[in-house]
């Protein structure tokens, strides 16, 4: 994992992209390493939540590594986007443990796409976000056209993509692109506070909620039907029995699967 640092804080795992000299730009190796790290964390029973951030104080991720793809053919570009979406961006979105992006600085292009594939985003006040691809003669390829429209609305997505501009953290908060904005020195504490709150709840139910929410964005699937299915399946879990019993006995739940 030469491009990543992994740190555990209780049941939360921090995955830190560590290419500060290149503003943590995502080259192919970093994408593969991130994919492996997320897969490993998602199978680790001791990890209940994941935080992804960038090393240094300047950048979360300043985009896909432009130096790697500027000579690509159509076929190579297609492979780059498809492979990246499959092994990392879609993988994160479907990870059945909460994934939080701690956006600690520039989140541009593939960097914003990475943050948008996470379930929750917390930005520091110095963060700047944008999809500058059209200024390079290309469009976002790691899901940015879809996820930005989902999070911030179609009009905002069109404006940000067409202008290739950057917005500050408070503007990102106002349009729903990020969940919270805090000072940079409080960013990790805020993310850990959120993951701590989640860790008291049923991890089995959280996984079901991730599947149900995601289903509404999958072509050909009906999110409401998926919700009914996941809701019903919950009734057969030990976590449901414990959660409802604990409530009726006026005590704190001790979820068997946590
Ligand atoms: N791909 C490859 N290298 C990148 C990069 C990217 N997306 N973003 C930054 N870097 C590298 C720079 O080339 C530079 O490397 P060098 O020191 O070897 O020359 C280093 O990171 C520092 O970046 P620099 O541009 O000098 O920092 P800055 O403070 O002047 O500007 C940005 C910061 C974020 C505004 C600027 O780096 C930038 O515009 N990056 C590209 C953003 C982008 O278009 N992303 C979408 C890609 S699809």
């Amino acid at each position: 994992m030469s491009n990543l640092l992994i740190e555990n804080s209780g049941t939360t795992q921090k995955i830190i992209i560590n290419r500060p000299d290149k503003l943590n730009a995502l080259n192919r190796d970093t994408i593969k390493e991130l994919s492996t790290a997320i897969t490993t964390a998602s199978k680790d029973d001791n990890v209940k939540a994941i935080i992804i951030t960038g090393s240094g104080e300047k950048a979360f991720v300043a985009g896909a590594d432009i130096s790697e793809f500027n000579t690509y053919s159509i076929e190579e570009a297609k492979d780059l986007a498809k492979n990246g979406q499959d092994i990392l961006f879609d993988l994160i979105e479907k990870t059945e443990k909460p994934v939080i992006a701690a956006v600690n600085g520039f989140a541009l292009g593939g960097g914003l796409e990475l943050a948008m594939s996470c379930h929750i985003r917390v930005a520091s006040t110095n963060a700047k976000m944008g999809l500058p691809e059209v200024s390079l003669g290309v469009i976002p390829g790691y899901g940015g056209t879809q996820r930005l429209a989902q999070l911030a609305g179609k009009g905002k997505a069109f404006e940000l993509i067409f202008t290739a501009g950057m917005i500050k953290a408070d503007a990102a908060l106002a349009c729903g692109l990020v969940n919270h904005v805090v000072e940079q020195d409080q960013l990790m504490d805020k993310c850990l506070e959120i993951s701590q709150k989640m860790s008291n709840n049923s991890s089995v139910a959280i996984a079901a909620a991730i599947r149900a929410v995601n289903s509404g964005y999958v072509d050909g699937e009906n999110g409401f039907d998926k919700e009914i299915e996941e809701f019903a399946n919950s009734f057969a879990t030990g976590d449901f029995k414990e959660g409802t019993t604990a409530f009726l006995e006026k005590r704190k739940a001790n979820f068997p699967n946590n």
Side-chain angles (χ1 to χ4, degrees), residues 211-242:
R211 291 191 294 271
V213 172
N214 281 341
S215 172
Y217 297 92
V218 178
D219 209 17
E221 280 191 26
N222 182 316
F224 289 96
D225 289 346
K226 183 70 175 166
E227 182 180 289
I228 292 166
E229 180 193 325
E230 294 288 352
F231 172 80
N233 287 344
S234 302
F235 282 64
T237 66
D239 279 16
F240 174 77
K241 281 187 184 60
E242 167 60 11

Side-chain angles (χ1 to χ4, degrees), residues 21-23 25 58 62-66 106 108-109 132-133 136 166:
D21 294 351
K22 296 291 175 192
L23 302 186
K58 191 170 170 181
D65 193 320
I66 299 168
F106 287 115
L108 303 173
E133 283 86 349
L136 300 167
M166 294 186 210

